[in-house]
Every structure is written in structure tokens, then in C-alpha cells.
Amino acid sequence: MDQPLFVIRGMFAHSTIENPLIVLADHIIGVSNGKIVFFDQADQLDKHLQPFGGRSKVSLTELKRGQFVIPGFIDTHIHAPQYPNSGKGLDLGLLEWLEKYTFPTEAKFKDLEFAEHVYEKAVRRVLRNGTTTACYYGTIHTDACMKLCDIIDKYGQRAFVGKVNMNQNSPEYYIETAEESTSETERFVDSVLERKNQRIQPIITPRFAASCDDKLMNSLAKLAHDKGLHIQTHISETKDEVAWIGNLFPDHDHYVDVYDKAGLLSKRTVLAHGIYLTTEERKIVKDRECGISHCPNSNTSIRSGTCDVKQLLDEGIKVGLGTDCSGGYSTSMNDAMRCCLHVSNFHAIHTEKIHISHREAFMMATLGGAQVLDIADRIGNFEVGKAFDALVIDVTKEGSQIDIFENDTIDDILQKFIYLGNEHNFTRIYVDGADVLPMLLKGSQKS
Ligand code: GUN
Ligand code: FE
């Protein structure tokens, strides 16, 4: 059944392929059946309303100064089961951190009650932070991953969910055989696809090359290929890890070659981190049209390294932002944008190379993320025909860290939101044209 049109009038900001940040005064967006049906200057309102029966038939929200609309954030790399560890256990580097904190926590998700308890909190937090699309890692446990899907569905988020694969170099309490790993992944994929929920898609998730042998990676690649699925994994995150992969796969040219020969690289592949990729490796990543999930909070918090994100962008590689909870301590994409700017600034200070601006950070948090997930034809900005996944921001709300002054332009207001915004600024969180915020706030004391 056709849903009535609703219209929002006011300030908007979004990215296009040509321009990382466009800030628009006095525009109108029309949304019907979850899709954007027009996006134009406000003086064109009557023209657009004619086919819908004019103003009397339409719900119109007019925004005030300090209020505006942006596309929903897209977190291209987040570990839902690591949410209990957010903000702790950051004293160790990656490989020791995995052994001491991460694997023991993830192993607990065999218990479905525990999984439900944590995933409920994790999904609520992520969505409350304005992440309308998340690309999640689960654990190796298929049924717990299905619980994660249930909860995402309940709250109306858009997501990719991956059952993690690990059949080597993992603790005996948290490992599978290649056969189990493949058959359980098939079971997971089929269960998710059976639900026919367009918003929640399975994603093939070999944790990283250290935890999967060639045989497993080959069978996962075949599965992804046969069913047209997305793939996510980690790559080149720390120097120790890169050296380890070199030892584990001596017949391969480099880290990218391990995934490439296994058949894991396509335009639907999300590679997290990619800090130490060589020129040759980056060329293959670009040629295969893979996306990089840049995780600046994590890369700093567990001291993995400094990713030259400007170089990736300049080379034409698709780049989105990832919070990488809990290597990164925050699930907030505002935080990811800020960390991204800081990392790029420090890199520029130390190398005298050029840093990115808030415009690129905004693009990576929205349209760039959609490109990395290969869904930029459906979400990421306000092009007509795309799903209306959006955040209505109010910088003047209780709990806001932002004050605006008479001389602040709309560009200034947007910039202040990038640097100072938090969840208290989100007054509506739309996914597919439905506001999911009331459901999130229901039964919750915190807003
Ligand atoms: N590499 C392999 N597993 C992980 C993980 O859980 N987090 C991060 N940051 N890197 C990884
Ligand atoms: Fe990660």
C-alpha cells in the first residue's frame, strides 16, 4: 500500500561523487514508501506536491535554524560481540589483545542468553549513535549470529552480519574445523536469506588470513561467488601481523595476494585497516574494486599504526569509516570522523603531506561507506530514488555540546556538528523512511 508522502523543509548536507560535502539552505525532501521522491529548492514545493494532491494531503516538517538533515551514518566495520569491551583492555597490541581480551569475550557467545543480552545493548547503542547501516562481525556461533539479526530487525537498522570463520591459530576454546566453518556459514547464510529482509544481508567473514587456512578461504570464496555475497576481513593492520602472514603463507607474494588467490577480492569485499599496504597491493585492491574500512580510533587505541587515508582516496580506492569496536573504544561515527581528522593531521605533521578536511571525513562516514559496501545505488546521499536513511539533527537540543552564534553560516553549523556532535543531537533517525528513534527510546531511561 502506498504510504503518504512526507516532506521536510530546511537545511541539508550530503556528499555526491563529485563533491564530498554540499551544504544546502532551504531545501525540501519528499519521502514516500521509504524512498526519496524529490529533493529540490524549497520554492519548488508546489510543483512537486501537485501529483500528490497538493499541500493539504502532505505532512510537512519545517526545520528551524540549528536543525538540519544528513544521510544516516554507515559504519563499515564493527564487532558487535566486542561491545562489552568498549573502552577497556587497550593496553596491548593487536595479537596479544586478541588472545587476552577479545577471544575470551567472543567465546562466551556460545551462550545464547548472553548473546541476546549483549547484542540488545550493542545494537541500541550503535543505532542511537546515528549508524543507520552497520557492517557487523558476529562470532563463530551461527545461532548467536541469528540472534544478532533478530535484534537488528527488531530495531529496524540496516546491516550486514557476518558469522566469523576461524580454523587455525586460534585458542582451542574458540575454533572450528574447515568443514564445520563452511557448513555453519552456509546454514547462517541460508537462514538470513530465507527471511527475505532486504535490510539485513549476510556477509562472508573470514576473520583474517592468520585464522583461516587456504582450504577454508577457498570454500568461503566459492560460497560468496555462488550466492553473490559480500565478504569482509582484516588486512595489514599491524607490522607484526603482516610479518606473521608472510611466514604463514610463504608461497604468496604479499598479504593482498593471499586473499586474491583465494578468490576473496571483489567489488563487494570490505578490507578493514589496510595501513601497511604497499603500492603494488593497493593497485590490486583498486583493480578488484574492493573497499577499505578505515578505522582510525582502533588504529590509534591499540597502536596499530597511521593509515594514510588521503593517499587511498587520491588513488581512487573506495574508503569508508569503521569504528572497529572494541579495538576502537567508541561506536560513534562522529567520533570516527574526528579520529580520522586527527590521524590525518598527525600524519601531515610528521610527513608534511596533505591532510584531509572535514568534508572528506563526512563523505567517508556516509556516501564513502555506501560505496565500500557496494550499496551506493541504494543509500548514502539524497539522490532521488534512494532509500531515505537519514538523521535529523538539532544542535540546540538538551545535551548538545554545540552553541551557534549569529555569524555562524550553515557551513559553520555543519562543521561544528562534525567536531562536537553527539547522540543528543539526533531528533529523528530514519531507516527506509521510518523513524526508528521512538522504539529505541521506549523503555530506556537514557536518551
Ligand atoms: N584482526 C583479527 N581479528 C581482529 C579483531 O577482532 N579486531 C581487530 N581490530 N583486528 C583483528
Ligand atoms: Fe576489526
Side-chain angles (χ1 to χ4, degrees):
M1 200 186 77
D2 264 10
Q3 281 169 357
L5 177 79
F6 72 86
V7 178
I8 304 176
R9 173 178 182 173
M11 167 183 162
F12 289 79
H14 74 156
S15 308
T16 62
I17 300 289
E18 298 79 28
N19 192 341
L21 178 58
I22 302 174
V23 184
L24 298 158
D26 206 13
H27 266 58
I28 43 167
I29 200 157
V31 179
S32 179
N33 292 319
K35 296 259 189 319
I36 300 167
V37 289
F38 58 80
F39 182 51
D40 207 341
Q41 293 176 8
D43 59 10
Q44 300 298 306
L45 182 61
D46 286 321
K47 179 186 93 184
H48 289 294
L49 292 188
Q50 243 172 22
F52 296 92
R55 287 197 186 211
S56 61
K57 296 274 186 288
V58 166
S59 138
L60 173 66
T61 304
E62 302 207 34
L63 303 180
K64 300 197 292 269
R65 180 168 159 81
Q67 300 175 332
F68 55 95
V69 189
I70 63 169
F73 290 133
I74 299 172
D75 186 344
T76 55
H77 183 79
I78 174 163
H79 299 261
Q82 295 176 22
Y83 181 57
N85 292 348
S86 268
K88 67 181 198 184
L90 298 168
D91 55 325
L92 299 172
L94 174 69
L95 300 176
E96 296 78 22
W97 171 86
L98 285 171
E99 290 291 333
K100 180 164 175 198
Y101 302 117
T102 306
F103 294 153
T105 300
E106 291 192 13
K108 292 196 218 164
F109 284 72
K110 194 170 186 315
D111 174 352
L112 285 183
E113 251 176 64
F114 178 77
E116 185 165 8
H117 170 69
V118 173
Y119 285 153
E120 178 82 20
K121 282 193 188 293
V123 171
R124 289 179 73 115
R125 171 67 62 200
V126 172
L127 194 50
R128 186 68 188 94
N129 280 331
T131 298
T132 50
T133 299
C135 190
Y136 287 111
Y137 282 57
T139 59
I140 66 172
H141 316 100
T142 305
D143 296 322
C145 290
M146 289 311 297
K147 272 268 175 269
L148 176 56
C149 294
D150 292 343
I151 292 165
I152 292 165
D153 187 23
K154 179 169 86 176
Y155 288 107
Q157 194 178 36
R158 192 184 302 284
F160 290 89
V161 178
K163 176 229 165 298
V164 171
N165 304 102
M166 302 164 67
N167 80 325
Q168 64 171 10
N169 298 310
S170 307
E172 43 83 30
Y173 63 83
Y174 190 47
I175 191 165
E176 336 153 273
T177 63
E179 292 71 25
E180 261 170 0
S181 193
T182 306
S183 64
E184 281 298 291
T185 303
E186 272 171 344
R187 182 164 79 86
F188 173 70
V189 166
D190 291 343
S191 308
V192 179
L193 293 178
E194 246 166 45
R195 296 183 171 191
K196 298 199 187 319
N197 179 344
Q198 271 300 313
R199 275 197 293 277
I200 305 178
Q201 295 296 321
I203 179 165
I204 299 299
T205 307
R207 180 169 210 121
F208 67 152
S211 47
C212 300
D213 64 14
D214 269 325
K215 182 177 162 210
L216 177 57
M217 286 193 280
N218 281 313
S219 65
L220 293 173
K222 182 170 178 326
L223 183 61
H225 183 80
D226 290 349
K227 299 200 185 233
L229 302 171
H230 284 67
I231 296 172
Q232 63 181 346
T233 189
H234 296 87
I235 196 163
S236 269
E237 182 175 358
T238 72
K239 287 183 183 162
D240 288 352
E241 172 214 8
V242 174
W244 191 26
I245 299 301
N247 291 333
L248 289 172
F249 298 90
D251 301 336
H252 291 78
D253 296 342
H254 38 61
Y255 207 151
V256 166
D257 191 48
V258 175
Y259 293 145
D260 197 31
K261 291 260 164 65
L264 288 167
L265 302 185
S266 82
K267 66 176 183 167
R268 291 183 171 171
T269 305
V270 184
L271 299 169
H273 305 282
I275 300 174
Y276 298 102
L277 295 174
T278 61
T279 308
E280 188 186 339
E281 288 178 293
R282 293 196 305 276
K283 184 166 181 324
I284 299 170
V285 168
K286 165 114 199 286
D287 288 349
R288 302 285 180 272
E289 298 177 75
C290 306
I292 299 276
S293 174
H294 174 44
C295 305
N297 186 322
S298 172
N299 294 344
T300 307
S301 294
I302 55 172
R303 297 157 299 282
S304 302
T306 310
C307 180
D308 187 350
V309 72
K310 179 89 172 71
Q311 180 177 56
L312 296 173
L313 290 171
D314 287 349
E315 290 179 357
I317 294 172
K318 302 182 291 185
V319 189
L321 294 182
T323 59
D324 196 21
C325 156
S326 67
Y329 54 76
S330 171
T331 58
S332 152
M333 291 294 288
N334 277 92
D335 172 87
M337 289 192 284
R338 294 190 275 265
C339 287
C340 177
L341 284 156
H342 283 188
V343 166
S344 178
N345 286 348
F346 278 119
H347 188 64
I349 291 165
H350 291 300
T351 61
E352 297 187 3
K353 286 195 186 173
I354 303 197
H355 54 88
I356 60 150
S357 75
H358 67 281
R359 296 178 195 86
E360 283 88 22
F362 180 87
M363 182 278 291
M364 285 186 270
T366 56
L367 184 61
Q371 290 170 331
V372 165
L373 298 177
D374 195 38
I375 48 173
D377 57 333
R378 289 195 278 138
I379 58 164
N381 63 8
F382 296 133
E383 267 172 44
V384 171
K386 287 192 181 182
F388 187 61
D389 285 13
L391 308 172
V392 179
I393 314 286
D394 184 350
V395 300
T396 66
K397 243 188 104 217
E398 178 79 29
S400 177
Q401 295 289 307
I402 303 166
D403 283 303
I404 50 173
F405 294 85
E406 293 69 26
N407 65 341
D408 280 331
T409 64
I410 55 173
D411 292 87
D412 295 334
I413 293 172
L414 195 275
Q415 205 168 329
K416 284 187 173 187
F417 166 73
I418 291 173
Y419 282 100
L420 291 161
N422 65 29
E423 75 273 21
H424 299 293
N425 298 120
F426 306 140
T427 57
R428 294 195 199 289
I429 300 175
Y430 287 103
V431 182
D432 267 342
D435 184 7
V436 300
L437 187 55
M439 165 84 168
L440 268 182
L441 298 181
K442 215 165 70 180
S444 153
Q445 283 85 33
K446 292 182 257 170
S447 77

